[in-house]
Amino acid sequence: MHTPEPIGGARPTSRDVARAAGVSQATVSLVLGDKWRGRVSERTAEAVREAARSLGYRPNLAARNLRLGRTRTALLVVPALTNEFFAHVYTGAAAAAAAHGFGVVLYPSPDGLGPARDPFASAQAALDGVIASSMATDALEAFRGSDLPLVMLDSDPADAGAAAHVNLDVADGMRRVTDHLLGLGHRRFLHLASAAPSWTFDVRAATLAHALRGTDVRTVRSPLNVAAAREAAELALAATGPRPTAVICDDDILAVGVCKAARRLGLRVPEDLSVTGFDDMALATVVEPELTTVRLPAEEFGRRGMEALLAVLAGERPPSLTLPVALVPRGSSGPAAAS
């Protein structure tokens, strides 16, 4: 098939494709928009595709999106970029989006878990939907009043403000940690809890309290950074009274702070003190001994969140989804020290 070059070497247009294939521009739109079945023959469709390939034609997505009222762009809101977990969530979401011709804009909330300011002010028309990871539903008031579908990750499934929920089984993760430590003979615990107000940390705390009822448990809260965790743990471990034999942390970052506190106090991990984390970030295998922790499938989490948003955009009602987690025992946990 002869395919004439576009005049002047300019970027080829749908008109050039139509001329090369001997069809109308409307037929080109049907074929390249994958809406040709039942309207044109397979032979004609292949002629259009071959003409487009030969000319190096790429559809003008901006113009097409203006006609469709769709930008094929989703916004992913996260509390911060300093936590590796959210980088993996973004990777999974972006991969799922790319497979469907979508892009993902990453937006870290300037106020962490607090209300997310509208990143585009009046330009919400530039988005098709929003995915929010580990944010409270009421923290997303900037998106109220718009018709943007919202998919919540790692949030209360009872909240009615989202079109879909995707969660991690953090309760099961905490049960696995407590079962592991109880099985090693531990009965005196320190729970180093995240000070961040979040559904996911509330679930961890409630599960831990239920699983360890009847044992000696003290809870101390800390911001999610190593220095604050070290300071909080050092004060708690140096307090008067029987010392805990195990510290259960809401996050690997907190667990690293505990390990530093133990070293300062002359305590050996795990001989004198077992320490567990949550997330299984790279940090968990950087410290020595390596952390016993709960592995969260962050990339799959982001992918499933994006798939849920795409389903909502297609007019479907995806069911709530909870992904399994896994305990990863490593060197930071061992049998309880003798009293």
Side-chain angles (χ1 to χ4, degrees):
M1 178 178 64
H2 174 65
T3 53
E5 293 291 329
I7 297 172
R11 174 176 172 167
T13 66
S14 61
R15 180 176 297 175
D16 297 320
V17 175
R19 188 172 71 239
V23 299
S24 67
Q25 280 184 267
T27 298
V28 171
S29 296
L30 286 173
V31 172
L32 299 184
D34 201 27
K35 298 177 181 178
W36 58 272
R37 291 173 181 82
R39 302 187 186 186
V40 301
S41 68
E42 172 67 51
R43 182 177 179 180
T44 299
E46 181 54 36
V48 170
R49 288 191 291 262
E50 175 59 29
R53 282 192 295 267
S54 298
L55 290 170
Y57 172 73
R58 296 290 182 273
N60 185 334
L61 291 178
R64 184 173 73 183
N65 289 335
L66 284 173
R67 290 194 296 273
L68 295 177
R70 295 276 296 277
T71 63
R72 305 185 76 80
T73 302
L75 184 73
L76 173 61
V77 183
V78 299
L81 290 182
T82 53
N83 192 318
E84 175 193 334
F85 174 78
F86 297 114
H88 292 300
V89 171
Y90 170 79
T91 299
H100 292 83
F102 268 68
V104 177
V105 176
L106 181 62
Y107 180 66
S109 173
D111 301 310
L113 291 167
R117 293 194 287 268
D118 183 348
F120 297 117
S122 61
Q124 287 183 346
L127 299 171
D128 283 327
V130 178
I131 306 170
S133 181
S134 309
M135 304 284 294
T137 304
D138 58 6
L140 298 165
E141 290 299 324
F143 302 102
R144 300 286 182 222
S146 74
D147 59 355
L148 292 178
L150 171 64
V151 170
M152 296 292 290
L153 310 184
D154 203 23
S155 65
D156 188 350
D159 283 344
H165 288 271
V166 179
N167 280 316
L168 298 162
D169 200 344
V170 291
D172 182 59
M174 189 57 82
R175 280 191 294 269
R176 289 171 183 264
V177 168
T178 54
D179 286 349
H180 173 69
L181 293 172
L182 289 170
L184 289 169
H186 294 276
R187 295 298 182 269
R188 295 197 307 274
F189 298 92
L190 173 65
H191 176 207
L192 191 59
S194 168
S198 171
W199 172 84
T200 187
F201 295 128
D202 290 345
V203 169
R204 296 174 206 198
T207 304
L208 181 148
H210 184 265
L212 297 182
R213 63 193 184 283
T215 67
D216 181 3
V217 184
R218 181 184 177 193
T219 298
V220 173
R221 296 190 178 277
S222 169
L224 278 172
N225 67 75
V226 171
R230 179 195 56 75
E231 183 177 353
E234 201 168 333
L235 288 172
L237 293 172
T240 57
R243 191 177 62 234
T245 62
V247 184
I248 301 173
C249 301
D250 275 354
D251 186 278
D252 291 344
I253 295 170
L254 299 179
V256 170
V258 173
C259 291
K260 290 173 72 71
R263 182 179 295 251
R264 289 193 177 203
L265 294 170
L267 300 174
R268 298 166 301 163
V269 177
E271 291 84 357
D272 301 316
L273 187 72
S274 286
V275 181
T276 64
F278 215 100
D279 282 0
D280 197 27
M281 297 186 292
L283 202 58
T285 55
V286 170
V287 294
E288 188 61 43
E290 296 182 353
L291 284 177
T292 292
T293 188
V294 175
R295 178 172 296 157
L296 305 180
E299 284 196 24
E300 182 186 2
F301 193 40
R303 176 174 64 80
R304 294 297 190 98
M306 187 66 212
E307 288 172 351
L309 179 59
L310 291 169
V312 172
L313 291 171
E316 302 170 14
R317 297 188 63 176
S320 292
L321 181 64
T322 300
L323 301 180
V325 303
L327 178 70
V328 184
R330 295 194 182 103
S332 69
S333 60
S339 299

